[in-house]
Structure formats: structure tokens, C-alpha cells
Amino acid sequence: MIRHGRTLAALAAGTLLLAATAAAGDKPRDERSEASATSLRDVGSRFEQVRLLAATDRSAALAEAEQSLDQVLRGGLEADQRAAARFLAGAIASELGDFARAGESYRDAAGGLAKGPFVDDAEFAAIVALEASGDDATAAREWVKWEKRHATSTLVPVARLRQAWNALRRGETAQAQKQLAALQTASPWLAKDARFTLAQATVAWRSGKAADALALLGPKVTGASAVYLKALCLEQQGSLLKAAAAYQEAAERYPDSPLRDAAMLAKANTFLSAGDHRSAAEE
């Protein structure tokens, strides 16, 4: 199933680190606490640098950052610092693909933040990790609870968009369409967001309206998910050679995408459907 973009986890982790640092100036701290705050900032900065590395170098660097953060957590952290550290631990675990541990860290951070201004970020990230682990059914219920607790959060529109994507992954196309329509009315600015457009196009494709989906995607399609969806639409229309070319584009332009292997297999299947058995075998 098509998934979209990066989560807000890293950005929120950075925000929490800044908040913890600011709070440090508001009250006296001993030398050990100050050293811990500095170490936490250092690990946070290192994490942001690591995220820019190539995939082949990222895992080892993330593991090192995680070890450094574990040492910081064993030190003398104030409550706000510890919450920021647990949030950062969740962000690192997410980057490493350990979404169960990420969710646990985010929930710990939320507990430490109590009713502070960032608890909605932490709980939001915990549900995103739940979705990333593949448990969309539980996440769908958690989104409803989250919005009841944080009805005034600035993250509400994004949470509603994620609910629409969640419904799509669970095969609830009509529900997703309803959610997107409501979101477009409540937050019209979000209609210009690429993730929103991709969701609308996915609904159209799921509804057998490939032409509408392609119109929504536009003439210049970018991003692995959007190009892959373009290929699905072309295949639905019976334009098999164009679909094969789009699948190839998705695989070649975005080799690091999790859709790469699916695109390559879909290309082979497209040749098979077109009766070009030789090309299918080669693919």
C-alpha cells in the first residue's frame, strides 16, 4: 500500500530539545545537570546530521547516536530533559525501523510531559509509530482518542489526513473519501499539500476512476508513491506499455524507496498481461 512522507517525529524531537534547553535557563541546575543538558543537545545535533547521511552509512551512525543517548539517559536529567531524551530515543528507533520500541519511547515521553505543550506531539508520534509497525486497526482507534484529548492542537489537520490514509490502507475507500472531503472544508490550505492530493488520487484510483486520479496527479509527477500510483492508473486504463514505463521510472528514479521492488515486479507482470512473455521473463 502506498505510504507517504516522513513523520513529524524528528521535528518534534528538535522542538522538545529546544524547549528543555530553554527551561534550563529558567531555574538553577547543578553542574551534573548542566553537563547532561549539553550532552543531550549534542546527541540531538548529531541525530539531525545522521539523518542526512546516505542509507548505507545511516544505520551505523544511528546506532552510535542511540548508544550515546542511552548514556545520557543514565545520567542526572531533569524531568523535562528526560522527556525530551525519550522523545529523541523514539525518533532514533523510528529511523532504525524499530517501531515498537519507538512507540514505547514516545509514550514514555508523553507521560513525562504530562499536560505540557508538547504532549500532543509525543502522542501523535506514538500513533505514527503504531501505523508504521502495521497495526492500522489499533492506530485508527487511537487517532479518535487523540483528537478528543487534543481538539485544539495545531496537529489536528495532519492527524485527520493520516486517518484518511489509514482508512485507505484498511480498504475503507468510502470512509477515506468522506474524511478527505471534510478535511478540505475544514482546512482548505491543506488541499494544496502533496500528501492530500496523493490521497485524493488514490481514492479515485480505488474507485475505478483512473482518469480522475491522473488529472489530480498532474502532468509532472514526482515522488515514488505518486509515480507508482500513476503506473497503477495507466494499467487500470489498459495502457500497459506506458504503465510498464512508469513502473520502471518509479524503480529507477527512487532506488531507496520501499516501492522499488514492487515496481519492478509490477513492470514484469505488466509485460505478462500484455502477452510479451519474453520481456516478462527478462524482468
Side-chain angles (χ1 to χ4, degrees):
M1 184 58 214
I2 297 172
R3 293 178 181 267
H4 63 79
R6 51 172 292 205
T7 71
L8 300 177
L11 293 176
T15 302
L16 284 167
L17 286 168
L18 290 173
T21 302
D26 295 336
K27 49 188 173 183
R29 296 181 186 265
D30 57 29
E31 292 183 1
R32 183 182 178 186
S33 180
E34 291 291 351
S36 297
T38 301
S39 297
L40 180 57
R41 289 195 297 271
D42 290 342
V43 176
S45 297
R46 177 57 180 159
F47 170 68
E48 289 301 325
Q49 295 170 5
V50 167
R51 293 182 61 255
L52 300 176
L53 295 176
T56 52
D57 302 322
R58 194 180 304 136
S59 295
L62 283 168
E64 291 179 5
E66 188 173 44
Q67 290 176 359
S68 297
L69 184 59
D70 286 342
Q71 292 179 353
V72 172
L73 281 166
R74 288 195 290 269
L77 293 176
E78 298 282 339
D80 52 359
Q81 295 173 342
R82 182 165 294 278
R86 293 303 296 163
F87 203 117
L88 181 56
I92 294 175
S94 291
E95 290 284 340
L96 287 169
D98 190 344
F99 300 112
R101 188 155 52 89
E104 181 180 351
S105 295
Y106 289 134
R107 287 188 291 273
D108 285 348
L113 292 165
K115 295 185 180 299
F118 299 106
V119 67
D120 56 332
D121 295 83
E123 292 183 356
F124 182 103
I127 304 174
V128 170
L130 191 62
E131 289 184 323
S133 72
D135 192 354
D136 282 322
T138 301
R141 295 190 292 270
E142 290 301 315
W143 282 126
V144 175
K145 297 176 184 177
W146 180 92
E147 187 167 344
K148 288 181 178 179
R149 290 193 298 269
H150 308 292
T152 61
S153 171
T154 57
L155 290 174
V156 166
V158 184
R160 289 175 177 173
L161 179 56
R162 294 202 69 98
Q163 289 181 66
W165 274 108
N166 186 301
L168 281 170
R169 290 194 298 273
R170 289 184 290 109
E172 299 290 343
T173 304
Q175 180 182 343
Q177 186 173 23
K178 181 178 179 181
Q179 289 172 326
L180 290 171
L183 185 56
Q184 189 168 18
T185 299
S187 305
W189 56 268
L190 195 58
K192 298 180 181 180
D193 190 291
R195 298 167 297 174
F196 183 89
T197 301
L198 184 60
Q200 283 187 313
T202 303
V203 167
W205 165 70
R206 279 278 191 86
S207 303
K209 300 177 181 178
D212 291 347
L214 289 171
L216 285 164
L217 291 174
K220 296 182 179 180
V221 182
T222 59
S225 294
V227 175
Y228 189 87
L229 179 58
K230 174 185 174 181
L232 290 172
C233 292
L234 290 168
E235 186 174 0
Q236 189 178 85
Q237 289 181 323
S239 301
L240 299 182
L241 292 180
K242 290 183 179 180
Y247 284 130
Q248 182 173 346
E249 181 184 358
E252 291 184 350
R253 284 181 61 187
Y254 309 98
D256 294 332
S257 168
L259 288 171
R260 176 183 176 275
D261 290 348
M264 294 176 66
L265 180 60
K267 178 185 176 184
N269 283 335
T270 302
F271 281 129
L272 188 63
S273 297
D276 189 348
H277 300 111
R278 179 177 178 179
S279 295
E282 290 174 353
E283 291 297 326

